[in-house]
């Protein structure tokens, strides 16, 4: 056991490629599929009495390919399949927005730790690409890489000492180090599973972004309209609809429409390539661009 760092008190999971199968810019809850071991890993963490959260980049909103409500619907479907996660947070901004929350920046990790009432140093972040590990380090948390088909070989090599072959192993090693390992039978669903109190449905929905749930009886800000995307959506988020950590609205760049067009074309090309049995390396590159 490593005694130089505080024991893990919460596990923060990446979403796409870590808990659920990665479908680029997915806004359809019916397409959500858990990856092998995902539900069991979350159960192990709950059984050990640790906090849980999901932190993910969802740039499809900023690119104009998704709405905030679509991302929330996908999150709610994944939450039901996983049996309940303590908090769901996401960054809605495009990569060039300069926000504080898009991984590898630390905003999502810091906010998740605050939601769980813990210092970042007691949080473990598990993800499938370098941005997840780097965001953890930037926040003062620990990061573990669980490589998959989308993980670049150089990232696997770079984080070889902070990696695990699969999600269940990553969770078990963290729990063992913390001295809170759950029985192995729990991974198969046996035994008593401790579950933290879950917030109400309305509170969970309002808490899906980086803004806290409204107080009882308080008016809820309307969701971002599908027509108000790109710079307009970022401005709305900065006003409190989706992201309290957002920087002031980004000025519309001359290349904004071109970037959206390239992103949309890239998704179409990626899906066609995947259907033809594209190589792991090519799909991995598309995965890193699309998140």
């Amino acid at each position: 056991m490593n005694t130089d760092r505080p024991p893990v008190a919460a596990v923060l999971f990446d979403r796409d490629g870590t808990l659920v199968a990665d479908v680029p810019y997915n806004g359809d809850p019916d397409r959500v599929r858990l990856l092998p071991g995902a539900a069991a890993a979350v159960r192990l963490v709950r059984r050990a009495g640790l906090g849980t959260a999901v932190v993910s980049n969802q740039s499809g909103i900023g690119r104009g390919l998704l709405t905030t409500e679509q991302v929330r619907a996908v999150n709610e479907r994944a939450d039901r399949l996983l049996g309940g996660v303590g908090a769901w947070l996401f960054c809605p901004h495009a990569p060039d927005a300069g926000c504080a929350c898009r991984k590898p920046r630390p905003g999502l990790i810091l906010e998740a730790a605050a939601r769980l009432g813990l210092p970042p140093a007691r949080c473990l972040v598990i993800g499938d690409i370098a941005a997840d590990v780097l965001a953890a380090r930037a926040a003062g948390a620990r990061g573990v890489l669980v490589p998959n088909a989308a993980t670049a070989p150089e990232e696997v090599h770079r984080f070889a000492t902070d990696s695990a072959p699969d999600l269940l192993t990553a969770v078990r090693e963290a729990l063992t180090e913390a001295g809170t390992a759950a029985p192995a039978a729990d991974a198969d669903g046996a035994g008593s599973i401790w579950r933290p109190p879950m917030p109400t449905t309305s509170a969970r929905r309002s808490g899906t972004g980086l803004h806290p749930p409204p107080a009882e009886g308080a008016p809820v800000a309307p969701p971002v309209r599908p027509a108000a995307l790109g710079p307009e959506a970022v401005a709305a988020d900065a006003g409190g609809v989706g992201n309290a950590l957002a920087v002031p609205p980004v000025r519309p760049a001359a290349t904004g429409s071109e970037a959206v067009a390239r992103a949309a074309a890239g998704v179409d090309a990626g899906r066609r390539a995947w259907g033809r049995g594209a190589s792991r390396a090519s799909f991995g590159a598309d995965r890193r661009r699309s998140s």
Side-chain angles (χ1 to χ4, degrees):
M1 181 183 300
N2 188 334
T3 58
D4 295 333
R5 56 192 176 207
V8 171
V11 178
L12 315 182
F13 299 93
D14 173 51
R15 193 190 80 175
D16 303 317
T18 300
L19 292 176
V20 305
D22 183 31
V23 178
Y25 308 120
N26 181 33
D28 183 359
D30 290 336
R31 301 184 71 186
V32 174
R33 298 290 183 273
L34 295 186
L35 289 174
V42 173
R43 280 201 302 271
L44 281 175
V45 177
R46 285 199 306 258
R47 176 65 180 84
L50 277 61
T52 57
V54 175
V55 289
S56 67
N57 291 342
Q58 297 299 326
S59 70
I61 299 173
R63 298 174 192 265
L65 304 173
L66 289 171
T67 66
T68 301
E69 288 307 312
Q70 283 177 313
V71 172
R72 287 176 172 165
V74 168
N75 286 348
E76 289 176 1
R77 171 62 175 164
D79 189 75
R80 288 193 295 271
L81 293 175
L82 291 166
V85 175
W88 287 79
L89 299 90
F90 58 88
C91 168
H93 304 110
D96 59 355
C99 66
C101 49
R102 179 176 170 82
K103 296 178 291 185
R105 296 184 181 93
L108 285 174
I109 314 305
L110 295 173
E111 178 66 15
R115 293 271 191 97
L116 297 173
L118 295 168
R122 297 203 63 189
C123 295
L124 171 69
V125 181
I126 302 178
D128 65 318
I129 60 175
D132 300 309
V133 180
L134 293 174
R137 291 181 177 180
R142 178 187 171 194
V144 171
L145 183 74
V146 176
N148 60 22
T151 312
E154 58 268 26
E155 294 179 0
V156 176
H157 178 74
R158 179 180 180 183
F159 300 107
T161 59
D162 291 300
S163 65
D166 56 69
L167 188 58
L168 269 174
T169 300
V171 166
R172 285 174 176 147
E173 289 180 351
L175 296 182
T176 298
E177 182 176 304
T180 57
D186 195 56
D188 299 322
S192 174
I193 299 175
W194 179 87
R195 296 175 185 270
M198 300 302 295
T200 63
T201 301
S202 60
R204 290 181 63 75
R205 287 177 178 170
S206 64
T208 306
L210 266 180
H211 59 294
E216 289 295 330
V220 179
V224 178
R225 297 187 305 275
L229 294 170
E232 292 82 3
V234 173
D237 280 330
V241 174
N243 196 314
L245 293 180
V247 295
V250 179
R251 297 190 305 273
T255 59
S257 59
E258 297 174 5
V260 172
R262 287 197 303 270
V267 173
D268 291 338
R271 287 172 176 164
R272 288 194 298 271
W274 183 251
R276 292 193 303 268
S279 69
R280 285 187 167 190
S282 65
F283 180 67
D286 180 71
R287 154 80 172 98
R288 291 189 294 276
R289 287 195 299 270
S290 69
S291 59

